[in-house]
Amino acid sequence: PGRIISPMPARIPEKRRPTAPHHPRLPAWVGQVPGPDDPLPDQVQQFLDYLRVQRNRPLTTVRAYRYDLAKFVAFARVRDPGGVLCDGLDAAVLRRYQIELAEALPNPRTRARALVALRQFLRYAYDEGWTAAELSRRVVVPRYIVGDPHPIATQTVPRLLAALPREGLRDLRDRALVHFLISSGCRISEACALDRGDIRPEGFRVLGKGGKHRTVFLTEDAWKAVREYLLARGQDASPALFISVAHPDMPGGRVLAGNRLTTDGARRAVTALRRRFAQDPEAFRLIEGLRSPHTARHTAATTLLEATDGDVRLVQEVLGHATLETLRVYTEITDRRKRAAYARLGDYLREVGED
């Protein structure tokens, strides 16, 4: 009693050291994926030759399969260095690869493409007798939600095409390319693969996905834009319809025989166009929606659906889609009857509210 108890000193919390951001650890094989010039196992090369020669798949498709199968090659080499690719494959090995691929490619859409390529290879391997069992069914392709397309608004398209510059060969080529893509609905790879002698005003054939040909057409304005570009270009050594006008590809201003616009070059051309339009805010509103060459294909789909009152079968033929299901996202955007029904619903609700 009477003893004074001094209060305990307040505890000063220790400052925590900042922790480094957590990065998931990638599988060991990710850094060992063969590049485009690196050799692949003979079994993979035979499969790629089969796609190119017997299935007549476009070179762009063959390159995509090679790119995706190179990941599986890297996984197999780490698992069994020096072994034969298809030896020892079973459900457990494929399950392990799918787990590690998900760590390397978290985007399910990108991962799905790589697994589709593996499925096709495993079917071929079984037919060739390289695997004792048919293992393609052991590869599960992830489901993913297809994003909505973002086409240019139909009422903006004529003003955009009219505003495209035409001061030199680069401008005329870019103007012809945008006209061509919006008019024909072609993929950029299909457009870049065409030669000058392939196109005709009465229609011409392009080689699409799966090695399938289809006939496409150009509007009168698109045909004029292409002709104006070709006249300005004149006769040269390249048979390609669209060429690269970059200085390294035209030494001394000459067009060499191998000069052909690539898909990456086309994307850069659209980016450069957007950069030029960005100097004028009013003009940029016209081209703002043209974020890539593929946007022009989306625009062709929606404008054709609107122009034909929703004739999905015709648009399917023009775009070269394998199934009508692919066009569902477009029809939902352009369905006039659905928009009209919602407008009538709004009118009805206002009428009910006034009663």
Short mmCIF file of all heavy atoms in Angstrom, two decimals, residues 180-203:
data_model
loop_
_atom_site.label_atom_id
_atom_site.label_comp_id
_atom_site.label_asym_id
_atom_site.label_seq_id
_atom_site.Cartn_x
_atom_site.Cartn_y
_atom_site.Cartn_z
N PHE A 180 -9.06 -0.98 -98.30
CA PHE A 180 -9.11 -2.40 -98.66
C PHE A 180 -9.66 -3.24 -97.51
O PHE A 180 -10.55 -4.08 -97.71
CB PHE A 180 -7.71 -2.88 -99.05
CG PHE A 180 -7.62 -4.31 -99.47
CD1 PHE A 180 -7.68 -4.65 -100.81
CD2 PHE A 180 -7.49 -5.33 -98.54
CE1 PHE A 180 -7.60 -5.98 -101.22
CE2 PHE A 180 -7.41 -6.65 -98.93
CZ PHE A 180 -7.48 -6.97 -100.28
N LEU A 181 -9.15 -3.02 -96.31
CA LEU A 181 -9.55 -3.84 -95.16
C LEU A 181 -11.01 -3.61 -94.78
O LEU A 181 -11.74 -4.56 -94.49
CB LEU A 181 -8.64 -3.55 -93.96
CG LEU A 181 -7.17 -3.93 -94.14
CD1 LEU A 181 -6.36 -3.46 -92.94
CD2 LEU A 181 -7.02 -5.45 -94.31
N ILE A 182 -11.44 -2.36 -94.77
CA ILE A 182 -12.83 -2.06 -94.40
C ILE A 182 -13.80 -2.56 -95.46
O ILE A 182 -14.91 -3.01 -95.16
CB ILE A 182 -13.01 -0.55 -94.14
CG1 ILE A 182 -12.25 -0.15 -92.87
CG2 ILE A 182 -14.48 -0.17 -94.03
CD1 ILE A 182 -12.35 1.33 -92.53
N SER A 183 -13.38 -2.50 -96.72
CA SER A 183 -14.27 -2.92 -97.81
C SER A 183 -14.37 -4.43 -97.93
O SER A 183 -15.45 -4.99 -98.09
CB SER A 183 -13.77 -2.34 -99.14
OG SER A 183 -14.51 -2.84 -100.23
N SER A 184 -13.23 -5.13 -97.81
CA SER A 184 -13.21 -6.57 -98.06
C SER A 184 -13.44 -7.40 -96.81
O SER A 184 -13.87 -8.55 -96.89
CB SER A 184 -11.86 -6.97 -98.67
OG SER A 184 -10.81 -6.77 -97.74
N GLY A 185 -13.13 -6.85 -95.63
CA GLY A 185 -13.22 -7.64 -94.40
C GLY A 185 -12.10 -8.64 -94.26
O GLY A 185 -12.19 -9.56 -93.45
N CYS A 186 -11.02 -8.48 -95.02
CA CYS A 186 -9.90 -9.44 -94.97
C CYS A 186 -9.13 -9.30 -93.67
O CYS A 186 -9.07 -8.22 -93.07
CB CYS A 186 -8.95 -9.21 -96.15
SG CYS A 186 -9.54 -9.84 -97.73
N ARG A 187 -8.53 -10.39 -93.25
CA ARG A 187 -7.53 -10.33 -92.18
C ARG A 187 -6.29 -9.65 -92.74
O ARG A 187 -6.01 -9.72 -93.93
CB ARG A 187 -7.18 -11.73 -91.68
CG ARG A 187 -8.37 -12.51 -91.13
CD ARG A 187 -7.97 -13.93 -90.77
NE ARG A 187 -9.08 -14.69 -90.21
CZ ARG A 187 -9.95 -15.40 -90.93
NH1 ARG A 187 -9.82 -15.46 -92.26
NH2 ARG A 187 -10.93 -16.07 -90.35
N ILE A 188 -5.52 -9.02 -91.85
CA ILE A 188 -4.33 -8.32 -92.32
C ILE A 188 -3.34 -9.29 -92.95
O ILE A 188 -2.65 -8.95 -93.92
CB ILE A 188 -3.68 -7.51 -91.18
CG1 ILE A 188 -2.53 -6.66 -91.71
CG2 ILE A 188 -3.23 -8.42 -90.05
CD1 ILE A 188 -2.94 -5.69 -92.80
N SER A 189 -3.25 -10.52 -92.44
CA SER A 189 -2.34 -11.50 -93.03
C SER A 189 -2.77 -11.87 -94.44
O SER A 189 -1.94 -12.11 -95.31
CB SER A 189 -2.27 -12.76 -92.16
OG SER A 189 -3.56 -13.33 -91.99
N GLU A 190 -4.09 -11.91 -94.68
CA GLU A 190 -4.60 -12.22 -96.01
C GLU A 190 -4.28 -11.09 -96.98
O GLU A 190 -3.91 -11.34 -98.14
CB GLU A 190 -6.11 -12.45 -95.94
CG GLU A 190 -6.50 -13.66 -95.10
CD GLU A 190 -7.98 -13.71 -94.77
OE1 GLU A 190 -8.70 -12.70 -95.03
OE2 GLU A 190 -8.44 -14.74 -94.25
N ALA A 191 -4.42 -9.85 -96.51
CA ALA A 191 -4.13 -8.70 -97.37
C ALA A 191 -2.65 -8.63 -97.72
O ALA A 191 -2.28 -8.37 -98.87
CB ALA A 191 -4.58 -7.42 -96.70
N CYS A 192 -1.79 -8.89 -96.74
CA CYS A 192 -0.34 -8.80 -96.98
C CYS A 192 0.15 -9.91 -97.90
O CYS A 192 1.21 -9.77 -98.53
CB CYS A 192 0.41 -8.83 -95.65
SG CYS A 192 0.18 -7.36 -94.63
N ALA A 193 -0.58 -11.01 -97.97
CA ALA A 193 -0.15 -12.14 -98.80
C ALA A 193 -0.54 -11.96 -100.27
O ALA A 193 -0.07 -12.73 -101.13
CB ALA A 193 -0.75 -13.44 -98.27
N LEU A 194 -1.37 -10.98 -100.58
CA LEU A 194 -1.85 -10.81 -101.95
C LEU A 194 -0.79 -10.18 -102.84
O LEU A 194 0.03 -9.38 -102.40
CB LEU A 194 -3.11 -9.93 -101.97
CG LEU A 194 -4.40 -10.58 -101.48
CD1 LEU A 194 -5.49 -9.53 -101.34
CD2 LEU A 194 -4.85 -11.68 -102.45
N ASP A 195 -0.83 -10.54 -104.14
CA ASP A 195 -0.01 -9.91 -105.16
C ASP A 195 -0.84 -8.93 -105.97
O ASP A 195 -2.08 -8.99 -105.96
CB ASP A 195 0.61 -10.96 -106.08
CG ASP A 195 1.66 -11.80 -105.38
OD1 ASP A 195 2.19 -11.34 -104.34
OD2 ASP A 195 1.94 -12.92 -105.86
N ARG A 196 -0.15 -8.06 -106.69
CA ARG A 196 -0.87 -7.07 -107.50
C ARG A 196 -1.79 -7.73 -108.53
O ARG A 196 -2.88 -7.25 -108.79
CB ARG A 196 0.13 -6.17 -108.23
CG ARG A 196 0.75 -5.12 -107.34
CD ARG A 196 1.74 -4.28 -108.10
NE ARG A 196 2.89 -5.06 -108.55
CZ ARG A 196 3.93 -4.56 -109.19
NH1 ARG A 196 3.97 -3.27 -109.46
NH2 ARG A 196 4.95 -5.33 -109.55
N GLY A 197 -1.32 -8.84 -109.09
CA GLY A 197 -2.12 -9.49 -110.13
C GLY A 197 -3.31 -10.26 -109.60
O GLY A 197 -4.12 -10.78 -110.37
N ASP A 198 -3.43 -10.36 -108.27
CA ASP A 198 -4.52 -11.15 -107.69
C ASP A 198 -5.85 -10.41 -107.66
O ASP A 198 -6.91 -11.03 -107.71
CB ASP A 198 -4.17 -11.56 -106.24
CG ASP A 198 -3.01 -12.54 -106.18
OD1 ASP A 198 -2.79 -13.24 -107.20
OD2 ASP A 198 -2.34 -12.60 -105.14
N ILE A 199 -5.80 -9.08 -107.54
CA ILE A 199 -7.05 -8.34 -107.31
C ILE A 199 -7.67 -7.90 -108.63
O ILE A 199 -6.99 -7.52 -109.57
CB ILE A 199 -6.82 -7.12 -106.39
CG1 ILE A 199 -5.86 -6.12 -107.04
CG2 ILE A 199 -6.28 -7.55 -105.04
CD1 ILE A 199 -5.82 -4.80 -106.32
N ARG A 200 -9.00 -7.97 -108.66
CA ARG A 200 -9.78 -7.57 -109.83
C ARG A 200 -11.04 -6.86 -109.36
O ARG A 200 -11.57 -7.19 -108.30
CB ARG A 200 -10.15 -8.80 -110.67
CG ARG A 200 -8.96 -9.56 -111.22
CD ARG A 200 -9.38 -10.82 -111.94
NE ARG A 200 -8.22 -11.57 -112.45
CZ ARG A 200 -7.50 -12.39 -111.72
NH1 ARG A 200 -7.81 -12.62 -110.46
NH2 ARG A 200 -6.47 -13.02 -112.25
N PRO A 201 -11.54 -5.94 -110.15
CA PRO A 201 -12.75 -5.21 -109.72
C PRO A 201 -13.97 -6.10 -109.61
O PRO A 201 -14.89 -5.80 -108.85
CB PRO A 201 -12.92 -4.13 -110.80
CG PRO A 201 -12.14 -4.63 -111.98
CD PRO A 201 -11.01 -5.41 -111.41
N GLU A 202 -13.99 -7.22 -110.36
CA GLU A 202 -15.16 -8.11 -110.30
C GLU A 202 -15.06 -9.13 -109.18
O GLU A 202 -15.93 -10.01 -109.07
CB GLU A 202 -15.34 -8.84 -111.64
CG GLU A 202 -14.20 -9.79 -112.02
CD GLU A 202 -13.07 -9.12 -112.77
OE1 GLU A 202 -13.03 -7.87 -112.77
OE2 GLU A 202 -12.24 -9.84 -113.36
N GLY A 203 -14.03 -9.04 -108.33
CA GLY A 203 -13.89 -9.96 -107.21
C GLY A 203 -12.62 -10.79 -107.36
O GLY A 203 -12.13 -11.02 -108.48
#
